[in-house]
């Protein structure tokens, strides 16, 4: 039973760190963006409309928009992974007192995060105009 209390103590110590809360907030933010885009994407699925699982007002997608959205999904996933990696590198460099490397990692993490948000915002804008 002592191991359980040790693990809970370690969990409480991790929750006091800023790195943990930044990771949780990034996961939550990117998860919400993914959820919102996927809700619009399910409205355009012809199989779901045929089975009457969704009552959508979206038109059928042609090959061009499908390819655009599929490639956007891949680049969004890659940008999210790079964002997490750059913030991990930032915290590691900051811990080792590498100020220049930490600054570069922070800038690159912010840029890649903005790229991921931009891709998801473009998909939301596309679906917002396409489904209305």
């Amino acid at each position: 039973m002592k191991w359980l209390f040790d693990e809970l103590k370690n969990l409480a110590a991790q929750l006091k760190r800023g790195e943990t809360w930044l990771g949780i907030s990034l996961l939550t933010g990117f998860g919400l963006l993914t959820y919102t885009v996927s809700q619009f994407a399910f409205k355009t699925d012809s199989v779901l409309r045929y089975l009457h699982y969704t009552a959508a007002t979206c038109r059928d997608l042609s090959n061009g928009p499908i390819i655009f959205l599929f490639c956007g999904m891949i680049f969004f996933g890659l940008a999210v992974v790079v964002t997490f990696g750059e913030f991990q590198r930032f915290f590691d460099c900051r811990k080792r007192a590498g100020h220049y490397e930490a600054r570069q990692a922070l800038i690159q993490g912010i840029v890649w995060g903005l790229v991921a948000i931009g891709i998801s915002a473009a998909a939301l804008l596309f679906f917002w105009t396409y489904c209305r």
Side-chain angles (χ1 to χ4, degrees):
M1 196 67 171
K2 183 181 182 300
W3 64 270
L4 181 62
F5 292 120
D6 290 338
E7 289 296 322
L8 289 174
K9 190 187 303 182
N10 289 339
L11 176 67
Q14 287 297 320
L15 289 176
K16 292 179 183 176
R17 299 177 63 188
E19 295 92 347
T20 304
W21 288 106
L22 178 69
I24 290 171
S25 63
L26 284 174
L27 279 173
T28 304
F30 288 136
L32 286 173
L33 286 172
T34 303
Y35 176 76
T36 307
V37 171
S38 66
Q39 289 300 310
F40 275 113
F42 289 141
K43 289 180 182 178
T44 63
D45 189 24
S46 60
V47 174
L48 291 177
R49 279 190 286 161
Y50 176 75
L51 295 174
H52 303 291
Y53 287 129
T54 182
T57 60
C58 298
R59 299 172 297 201
D60 288 333
L61 294 174
S62 63
N63 287 338
I66 290 173
I67 292 170
F68 166 74
L69 291 170
F70 182 75
C71 292
M73 175 192 65
I74 291 172
F75 288 126
F76 173 76
L78 290 174
V80 167
V81 169
V82 172
T83 301
F84 280 111
E86 289 298 324
F87 278 112
Q88 178 63 36
R89 189 170 71 108
F90 166 70
F91 291 123
D92 186 51
C93 291
R94 194 176 73 170
K95 183 172 59 173
R96 297 173 188 243
H99 301 294
Y100 178 75
E101 291 86 3
R103 182 175 172 265
Q104 291 297 324
L106 179 64
I107 291 170
Q108 291 174 4
I110 291 171
V111 167
W112 281 109
L114 291 175
V115 166
I117 291 170
I119 291 171
S120 62
L124 282 174
L125 181 66
F126 171 78
F127 280 127
W128 189 263
T129 58
Y130 201 76
C131 291
R132 294 245 170 190

